[in-house]
Amino acid sequence: MFLRLKERFKPIAHDDYYELFDNYTVSEYVVDSAQYDLLLSLDGTRTLRQILDEYDETSQPTVSEFLEELTQIGALEHLSAPKERSFPCNYSTPYLEAVLWDVTSLCNLECTHCYVSEFFQEAKGRDLSTDEAFAVIDEMASMNVRDVSLTGGEPLMRKDLPAIIRHILNSNIRLASLFTNGIAVTEDFVGFLRQTVPYPSKFRIRISLDGMTPESNAVLRGDKTEPSRLFSRMTDAIKRFVDAGFFVSVGTGIHRFNVVEIPRMYSFMKDLGVSQWRMAVPKPIGRYRRTQSTIGADWPQILEAYRKLIDLHLDEVRIQDGEIVSPINIEIEQVFRTELVVKTLNTFQEDDIACFYHKNRCSLKANGDVVPCGYYDDIIAGNVRIGGLKQAWESSTMQQVKNLRVAEVTECKGCNLLSFCGTGCRAVAKKANGTIYCKDPYACYQAPFLKETTTQLLEKHGFTLGLSGKCLEFSVMEQELL
């Protein structure tokens, strides 16, 4: 029998770190360099005997044991005839793990907080063609990019979106998320995703809802659609995705007219049946720079709403057999997430990367521009039409941002909250204060809340906020192959 690593399992190597990633379950299995090399030999052209013959007699039992572990987790297939699998060899340096892709500059709303509005106004009409989109996906596959998330604009405005999704999946790239406002979601589209995406419960539908009433929701979503009709379409889309078994994550932008609703909106979200509720204050970028003074909420009011919500939520959270039992997962940007009841909060040291989450990630704009993350529209590292994704990712423009250290943000030196916020968001700092080396004003409000109020609320409900001694660049692994 010929041994072949199943397509859904992706060997990944970077920075002397090796793992086996399962596209379907999002499980990450840590391996060493020798095991990684063995994984690459499982290309469907060798039998078990041929593989074992490449090792000395002392090592063969260890190899057999490792292959048995792969079989147990469903990673290995045994074929009666050879069927070759090729592994990507065009790795970037450093490794590019994930891409947030604005697949279109078109949108069916004019949201008052849109952070890409100015960029898309300039880029409109220059979206990548279908062939160009396919070429980018092919390059991602050759670079062994782990996952892609699709956003916009509104992704459903692209008529070829189903074809793009198929090409991503057929290229053995994990489709991690789809961002949508829900307006154009139909039963047919939900059915297409249900039939096409082989891991619906692990595929995140990130959908917007900015209030529990049509009026409060419409504050951010603009006036192109009558508020009641808009609210109905958005909530109907949420219910369709929930009923289809997808992991539905609802995103809410905090503003002056919904902030008092936030604690009551908790029950509303639970009733909708969503898996996760994410909240954030809109960034002073794009259209929100003009509308913030009229629709922005005051920070004391925001933080008080957060306090009430977290208190309500933690009253319903339990830990059973080491797992969280909760009616819904809550995530408040830079302030709280439900996982804190069982996971350690990573803290920052001066030599850590300021934005460790995005260290191995970038954003691809609709016109092909490659930027450090979705919030940057003025730091363009390259364009996939001219030079390709790899060249833009490896450029000095990109890597200068990706390798910015906490200690380099001089305005934050000596702050006793630095270990909690790691200087905050560099894109927000640049938009608010002119440079990536300045303070992030949002972090200055949120870090004290995280350190004091979040800690107190966790203790009130019998949980302890664990702190790590160093900010880790990699997430906690679900399982480890020994």
Side-chain angles (χ1 to χ4, degrees), residues 25-304:
T25 65
V26 204
S27 297
E28 298 169 299
Y29 303 94
V30 179
V31 296
D32 60 31
S33 60
Q35 292 168 331
Y36 175 79
D37 290 339
L38 176 54
L39 290 172
L40 297 185
S41 72
L42 301 174
D43 62 357
T45 66
R46 298 178 181 88
T47 64
L48 173 59
R49 185 68 265 160
Q50 289 171 325
I51 291 172
L52 290 175
D53 285 345
E54 295 178 5
Y55 296 86
D56 59 38
E57 291 185 3
T58 304
S59 301
Q60 287 182 4
T62 303
V63 172
S64 295
E65 183 179 349
F66 182 71
L67 294 174
E68 179 57 31
E69 287 190 67
L70 292 176
T71 301
Q72 289 176 3
I73 65 172
L76 197 61
E77 53 187 348
H78 300 73
L79 307 174
S80 58
K83 180 183 178 184
E84 186 171 6
R85 173 184 175 178
S86 59
F87 295 98
C89 56
N90 188 35
Y91 268 72
S92 58
T93 305
Y95 172 60
L96 177 59
E97 177 184 78
V99 176
L100 176 67
W101 186 1
D102 299 352
V103 288
T104 181
S105 59
L106 302 177
C107 193
N108 46 15
L109 291 177
E110 292 181 1
C111 298
T112 56
H113 67 314
C114 181
Y115 66 88
V116 294
S117 59
E118 294 173 359
F119 185 91
F120 279 168
Q121 191 61 37
E122 298 175 5
K124 202 172 291 294
R126 291 188 284 139
D127 292 1
L128 299 178
S129 67
T130 304
D131 288 343
E132 288 173 326
F134 283 6
V136 170
I137 295 167
D138 292 343
E139 186 177 14
M140 290 181 195
S142 75
M143 295 166 64
N144 208 30
V145 169
R146 195 183 81 174
D147 56 61
V148 173
S149 294
L150 303 181
T151 183
E154 170 53 49
L156 272 72
M157 297 289 284
R158 276 198 77 129
K159 294 181 179 179
D160 60 354
L161 181 64
I164 289 173
I165 288 173
R166 287 193 191 95
H167 200 71
I168 291 171
L169 295 172
N170 291 339
S171 301
N172 197 31
I173 301 172
R174 181 172 181 270
L175 184 61
S177 305
L178 174 70
F179 292 74
T180 176
N181 59 37
I183 305 302
V185 171
T186 63
E187 287 287 357
D188 286 346
F189 181 72
V190 175
F192 158 75
L193 287 180
R194 193 69 179 83
Q195 293 174 0
T196 308
V197 179
Y199 42 87
S201 66
K202 296 291 184 179
F203 173 50
R204 293 181 182 242
I205 299 293
R206 298 196 181 275
I207 196 164
S208 306
L209 193 67
D210 299 300
M212 61 182 292
T213 67
E215 293 73 25
S216 59
N217 177 64
V219 170
L220 293 187
R221 294 298 149 186
D223 57 4
K224 289 188 79 171
T225 304
E226 193 274 325
S228 293
R229 186 161 171 257
L230 176 68
F231 187 77
S232 177
R233 283 188 174 185
M234 295 172 78
T235 52
D236 285 349
I238 291 170
K239 292 172 184 175
R240 284 191 178 117
F241 283 122
V242 168
D243 290 344
F246 290 98
F247 185 105
V248 178
S249 175
V250 172
T252 298
I254 306 298
H255 57 78
R256 185 173 300 176
F257 304 96
N258 75 356
V259 66
V260 296
E261 294 179 349
I262 295 303
R264 286 183 289 124
M265 200 171 172
Y266 177 59
S267 294
F268 181 69
M269 287 293 169
K270 290 190 295 181
D271 290 342
L272 283 174
V274 302
S275 303
Q276 182 184 63
W277 184 25
R278 306 172 75 226
M279 284 146 280
V281 179
K283 304 299 182 288
I285 302 172
R287 199 173 284 139
Y288 192 63
R289 300 186 77 174
R290 302 194 301 271
T291 62
Q292 184 175 8
S293 61
T294 57
I295 65 175
D298 296 329
W299 277 104
Q301 196 175 19
I302 294 169
L303 298 177
E304 177 58 17

Side-chain angles (χ1 to χ4, degrees), residues 283-285 299 334 354 376 404-418 421-448:
K283 304 299 182 288
I285 302 172
W299 277 104
Q334 296 188 13
Y376 286 105
L404 179 69
R405 306 285 168 171
V406 169
E408 295 180 69
V409 184
T410 53
E411 279 198 343
C412 296
K413 282 204 169 197
C415 178
N416 62 1
L417 297 169
L418 191 59
C421 73
T423 75
C425 175
R426 298 296 83 219
V428 171
K430 188 174 188 301
K431 290 295 182 180
N433 295 316
T435 170
I436 60 176
Y437 300 98
C438 288
K439 289 182 179 179
D440 167 9
Y442 284 34
C444 294
Y445 284 107
Q446 294 174 136

